[in-house]
Amino acid sequence: FVPVTGDLTALVYNPAGLCRIKQRTALLSLSYDSRETVTSYGGQPFGLSSDRQGLLFAGAAIPFPSYRGSLVTAIAVHRMFVSDLDVAYESANTIDQRTDAFRLQQSGATYALDIGFGVDLATVLSAGMSLSLFEGGYNALRQSHTREESATLDRYVIDDIEGDLDGAVGRIGVILFAHRHAHIAINVTTPTLVNGATDEASEITEVVENDTGSTVNTTAETTTEYIIPYRLDGGIE
């Protein structure tokens, strides 16, 4: 998409592509994606399903005539991260003499506010810059059950997690119209700063056969800063 983008998605792939927008433009994109995968764990099959739906991209661009060509400004909202998972398996672990069962249900999305511009620096050269500020999160429920055959011990774990994400990323791109049949483009994506915070409530129950068992409830709050390295993308159209 780096050399060919010519609509509002240029804010994400290469802001220099905004210069190909020659009139006031609006874009609304909705999506639905469903996937299911079956694989194995401990020799037993288990499934992974994913459903993604909702707003994908929405925005508008306005071109302004200028002395050397055109200046195009744009603003948009797009779905940046998505997490919709349903993972489950159950398997006998004969080596450790136990049976393992696990379930993860997770859903959430993070949206970014994108602003940027593209400008024709010459008749054969366009450049652009964009900035994305994003905010969102996810909810996750993890459940596991381990049965120790040798000690006839059942251990149940339930984790209820609520996570928040926010951060920023920028892009700088250029397109060189070297020939009417050959356009060369480069886009640099800055390191992406991601701030993550989670609130987790955990419940652990252990039951020994013919015993009353015990339950322990705990809560925890964590904060983490991630930095996704920069990207350098290039292409020829």
Side-chain angles (χ1 to χ4, degrees), residues 1-236:
F1 288 132
V2 172
V4 302
T5 182
D7 56 27
L8 277 163
T9 59
L11 282 167
V12 177
Y13 297 111
N14 183 356
L18 293 171
C19 293
R20 292 176 170 174
I21 300 176
K22 300 304 181 183
Q23 59 185 2
R24 294 183 180 182
T25 302
L27 175 65
L28 175 63
S29 173
L30 305 176
S31 71
Y32 175 76
D33 177 33
S34 180
R35 303 181 185 182
E36 185 169 355
T37 304
V38 178
T39 182
S40 63
Y41 173 81
Q44 300 295 322
F46 79 95
L48 163 64
S49 64
S50 173
D51 290 297
R52 308 175 182 182
Q53 56 188 334
L55 176 67
L56 183 63
F57 205 99
I62 301 177
F64 296 94
S66 62
Y67 174 70
R68 305 197 67 176
S70 65
L71 169 67
V72 182
T73 60
I75 185 169
V77 174
H78 86 281
R79 189 171 61 193
M80 189 166 185
F81 302 131
V82 65
S83 180
D84 292 284
L85 300 174
D86 191 346
V87 183
Y89 69 78
E90 184 173 355
S91 176
N93 189 331
T94 56
I95 296 178
D96 296 326
Q97 294 185 328
R98 71 169 192 252
T99 301
D100 298 325
F102 177 80
R103 180 76 179 270
L104 168 64
Q105 295 171 294
Q106 181 168 307
S107 63
T110 296
Y111 289 88
L113 173 65
D114 314 303
I115 55 175
F117 68 91
V119 60
D120 288 326
L121 300 178
T123 55
V124 296
L125 182 64
S126 299
M129 298 179 63
S130 68
L131 174 67
S132 297
L133 304 174
F134 53 89
E135 177 75 32
Y138 60 92
N139 291 297
L141 180 64
R142 297 187 304 211
Q143 304 174 77
S144 66
H145 172 210
T146 301
R147 179 174 176 81
E148 301 284 351
E149 301 297 342
S150 58
T152 60
L153 170 68
D154 287 279
R155 189 170 191 265
Y156 302 88
V157 179
I158 299 176
D159 292 320
D160 190 1
I161 304 170
E162 182 175 345
D164 293 311
L165 296 173
D166 65 78
V169 60
R171 303 168 193 87
I172 302 173
V174 295
I175 299 178
L176 175 64
F177 301 92
H179 186 272
R180 64 191 182 98
H181 295 306
H183 306 157
I184 303 172
I186 296 176
N187 183 72
V188 179
T189 302
T190 68
T192 307
L193 175 63
V194 183
N195 297 308
T198 60
D199 293 323
E200 178 178 353
S202 179
E203 179 181 284
I204 301 175
T205 301
E206 292 187 343
V207 179
V208 180
E209 194 169 300
N210 300 321
D211 200 350
T212 56
S214 62
T215 299
V216 177
N217 292 289
T218 59
T219 59
E221 296 181 1
T222 61
T223 57
T224 308
E225 182 180 272
Y226 304 91
I227 297 180
I228 302 174
Y230 73 92
R231 284 176 53 115
L232 176 62
D233 297 294
I236 299 176

